[in-house]
Amino acid sequence: MPPKWEGNVHAKLEGPKADQVWPLLEDYFNFHKWFPTLNICYGIEGANGEPGCIRYCAGSSIPSNGSDGSNVNWSTEKLVAIDPVKMVLTYEIIDGNVGFESYVSTIRLLPRDEDNGCVIECSFAVNPVKGWKLENLIEKHHKGLERMARRIEESIMSGKLTNDST
């Protein structure tokens, strides 16, 4: 078996501090509110944010194998670990139609040395994906993370974030 593909991308937020952003990221069943290409995300097993809980996600993020991009892409994802103190969570895709096998991702929130802002870091490991190149998958992750960071940044900085948004 060929070695796993690995990638690591990050996005800087200018303004929101890590303690403002973390509650949005740890809300595991509502990731679609922040990740632009997810239309749906909800819990199907366990308590939100507890290790072992499972969410269903669907959207247009990555075309499934043999898809022209017009089909709904979906996955079920298990929260493997979460540490609110270190602001890090790890999940794995356990089923889906996007062609990923043995996909594990870690999302980490890092405070910046400056007074304002933070960094969202996303690393992943996955078996090689048929029809893809690793650099394309890394680019797709980076673009998605950048768009998510802008959405979070705009929501927090505009004051539009309310209790029902988290």
Side-chain angles (χ1 to χ4, degrees):
M1 166 149 307
K4 284 192 177 285
W5 286 354
E6 295 183 358
N8 189 316
V9 297
H10 69 276
K12 293 179 184 177
L13 284 82
E14 305 290 340
K17 296 182 180 184
D19 62 350
Q20 292 175 291
V21 176
W22 177 249
L24 309 179
L25 297 181
E26 74 175 342
D27 185 10
Y28 191 69
F29 291 165
N30 289 296
F31 197 60
H32 66 294
K33 292 180 180 179
W34 310 111
F35 202 80
T37 56
L38 282 182
N39 300 327
I40 298 170
C41 180
Y42 58 83
I44 57 174
E45 186 177 310
N48 189 9
E50 294 294 321
C53 71
I54 298 173
R55 68 184 178 193
Y56 171 85
C57 296
S60 59
S61 178
I62 297 174
S64 57
N65 283 348
S67 167
D68 61 5
S70 63
N71 295 335
V72 172
N73 305 307
W74 64 272
S75 62
T76 52
E77 303 172 352
K78 180 179 181 178
L79 183 61
V80 176
I82 187 166
D83 185 334
V85 174
K86 293 181 179 176
M87 293 187 265
V88 61
L89 65 86
T90 299
Y91 70 94
E92 64 181 340
I93 294 178
I94 56 175
D95 196 12
N97 71 345
V98 294
F100 290 167
E101 292 179 14
S102 297
Y103 179 94
V104 177
S105 180
T106 298
I107 298 174
R108 180 180 320 274
L109 191 57
L110 305 166
R112 291 180 45 201
D113 292 335
E114 301 86 30
D115 288 338
N116 290 321
C118 58
V119 176
I120 302 172
E121 179 184 83
C122 175
S123 59
F124 68 88
V126 64
N127 288 346
V129 182
K130 185 177 179 179
W132 279 81
K133 293 181 181 175
L134 175 58
E135 43 287 357
N136 298 120
L137 192 55
I138 291 172
E139 180 182 349
K140 196 125 181 100
H141 275 75
H142 187 249
K143 285 181 180 178
L145 191 64
E146 282 288 338
R147 290 176 62 199
M148 181 176 81
R150 297 297 73 81
R151 185 179 274 187
I152 289 172
E153 195 175 61
E154 289 167 11
S155 182
I156 290 174
M157 299 310 288
S158 70
K160 291 181 181 176
L161 190 63
T162 61
N163 287 339
D164 62 347
S165 295
T166 59

